[in-house]
Amino acid sequence: MSRPAPVTRRSAKTEYIETDTGNKISRRARIEGKQNIMLAGKSVVMAGATLRGDLHRKSDKPAEGEKGGSVTAISVGKASIISTDCTIRPPMRLSRGQMTFYPMRIGDNVFIGTGTHVSALSISSHVHIGAGCVLSPFCVIKESCKILPGTVVPSHMIIPPGSIVAGRPARVIGEVGEGWGQGGGGEGEEYVEGGDLRPLVRSIK
Amino acid sequence: MAHAFPYTEIACPCTLNVSAADSARRTSVSVPQATDDDEEQTFNPHSPRANFSLYSPNDLLYCDDCHTIRCPRCWIEEIQVWYCPSCLFEIPGSAVKSDAEPAQLAGPFIQTCPYCSWTSLDAGIQFATSNHISDQLLKLRKPRSQEQNSDEAGVKAIVQGQDAPPILTLSHEAHFSNLTSFYKTLLNDAPTLNPYAVFAASPGASAYSSPSNLARIITMYSASPSKNPQKKVLPLREALTSAEGLALLPPPASLGSETEIIARMRETGYFDTASLEQQREAPINYEKRFHLGKDALWPVATLLRTRRTRRCSTCRHILSKPETKQGITKYRIKLLASEHILRFMLRPLNLPLISASGLLKPHSTILYVLVVRNPLFNPVKVTLATPSTTPGKVESRVTILCPDFTVGASGEGVGNEVWDDALRSSTSSSRQTSSALSASGHEGRHTSGVGFEDRVPEAGKVWERGRNWVSVVLEIVPGSLNPPSIPLSFETLSIRQDQSGTANAVPGAMREDSETIGEDDEEAVLKIPVLVRMEWDADAGAEGPEAGHKGEVAKEKRELAFWSVFCIGRIGA
Ligand SMILES: [Zn+2]
Ligand SMILES: [Zn+2]
Ligand SMILES: [Zn+2]
């Protein structure tokens, strides 16, 4: 795990800034609270995406004078892709009379489609999320799920592993088969939903 | 499920009985001759039946005993584990039918919907404990249905007055029990007439368990006319009165008349009405019109989910078996079809020919590259056959420029392959991912490979070749959605005649009554059926007795044929 902070600027003209661990962050992405966002490596944040790392649990010190750069608000695993115009916003709720934010975890090889709003508590690995979805606060997406475009997952909903989910509100409409995420990765082969996203990450320039 | 074009599907051979030997004669150049046998005819992806035999390659399994593809229609399932979809807690098989929930907290509980803010209080439901919800619901429901039911004798009395329309004040439970007893008496009265009587008589027991039952079933299905002409065969009738379980629409008077419902809707608004989907969820809610009040939707139990073992229905071989440990979603055994049969991938050779709307232009030739990838450790001889005009209402012309070729073996280690391909793709990469990027709203600039545009595809030659993959070019002329009532040219006419050899297949005759096809019509999707035949020398039974020294493994000829469907895209008007 490393942070995207030390950026190697090779040329000012590229769309993406590549970090030491191979993360690709679009220059047109909106990243708030950088120090609270962890990207494990080889992950992509595309143009127009908003990451609200500034929404994190305040340290126990009573005053607003926040110093704790060590608080993680958003952590993203390896080879995950956050597409254009997504919003990643840690969930919050009232706790002992105070609005408290909860850290969000996104696993490895997670694809989040364009324009999707994410306030989930966690998204496990090998999950494919279509475009224009809403993942309401505190929902939990277990591994190897497929969320079809335009789905609205209600808050606190738990989606069991291997589910195909659609609708407003979201319902489990099927199961991904044994072959979920299999194949792909080779030349001449399309990347596979739920599979290894590294070839796709590699191709994004 | 919605896919992004282009994509491929596979028809499981179990639905079609394709014989591999027969397919050998077919190639893209020589159109298959029509035979008397229906099953040998071209697979029509637009036929309503195709829906039930086409699968995404990733959803299919492979039986390595029968050496063939297996689909949900030819595998059987055994439930290994039941679990709750919300808390993921596994429930032992013995407790599945009871109400077993782990959590046990005290205090009044309600159910809430985080999406629409409905709570069970809206329907006047509150729980004493957080577990045994179904039991509690049942107990809460009993007094209500009794109150609704006034008393059963009264209901019957009203019904028996034949002239008056039957007043239905029966609850769902009463309807159900009436209907059940009605069917039971019906079957008991005429047990010899109906094979289903067998099931009613011995629930749970197999219909084929007793010889007399078996004999009865055989008589039912045998084509010979009734052996006992003196016995009149009475057709089974349905329930006629509410005492027999008949439920009539419009809804019972107890729920209020239509005008009352309208008045209430006017008052409470659209959002308080139950959707059709909610009503259909369970019989208990069929007549529920609102979210609130004593006649509101009733909560329905969540079904448990399962993890299942799949077996070949022919030889009982295990095709997939999930890991038994809780919380682990991996498989202990899985025989994926995609690891045993050729994998296909399509991409346009020259993108600009697809119009900005994403629709295919009728009558303009487009070229697609078909990449055929071999997952096996032995080289495979491949034959692709397709009818020169696609079946269905829209006739598109298709030519596979190189229908016969051999694909090399997949490498020993997956690692090798990945490295090979990584090196290869580092030179000309962006091609295969452009569609992925455009799908994610990213304006992917389509850069075709270096110098590829200048090359002209040649008939009989493969386009590109890698270690375990070959690509060939498909020439496609999309047909028109609204063809003129006379054939476009003599050429198309002659092809039709060639193909079927029968007079009624002349396009002009076929289209006389044809309606125009809209862009949204299923028939407007260009689908190419391709009969794929693979032949290879497999290493004969790895478990067999010493197959000689290293390098002298006994070989065994194998072949497999199946229909695949290439879905290219929608044709524009
Ligand atoms: Zn099958
Ligand atoms: Zn709701
Ligand atoms: Zn088998």
Side-chain angles (χ1 to χ4, degrees), chain B residues 63 65-66 70 312 314-317:
Chain B
C63 178
D65 247 25
C66 303
R70 289 287 172 231
C312 171
T314 309
C315 71
R316 302 271 156 164
H317 194 70

Side-chain angles (χ1 to χ4, degrees), chain B residues 424-476:
Chain B
R424 194 182 288 276
S425 62
S426 61
T427 53
S428 64
S429 64
S430 53
R431 194 165 6 106
Q432 78 259 31
T433 48
S434 62
S435 66
L437 290 181
S438 58
S440 60
H442 194 87
E443 280 298 309
R445 253 303 99 113
H446 197 85
T447 54
S448 19
V450 198
F452 281 4
E453 281 157 342
D454 303 335
R455 260 177 72 196
V456 177
E458 280 178 77
K461 287 197 176 159
V462 300
W463 179 245
E464 280 177 287
R465 186 184 279 280
R467 195 180 47 177
N468 70 327
W469 60 272
V470 161
S471 67
V472 294
V473 173
L474 265 67
E475 203 179 86
I476 303 162

Side-chain angles (χ1 to χ4, degrees), chain B residues 113 115-118:
Chain B
C113 171
Y115 183 79
C116 67
S117 305
W118 176 92

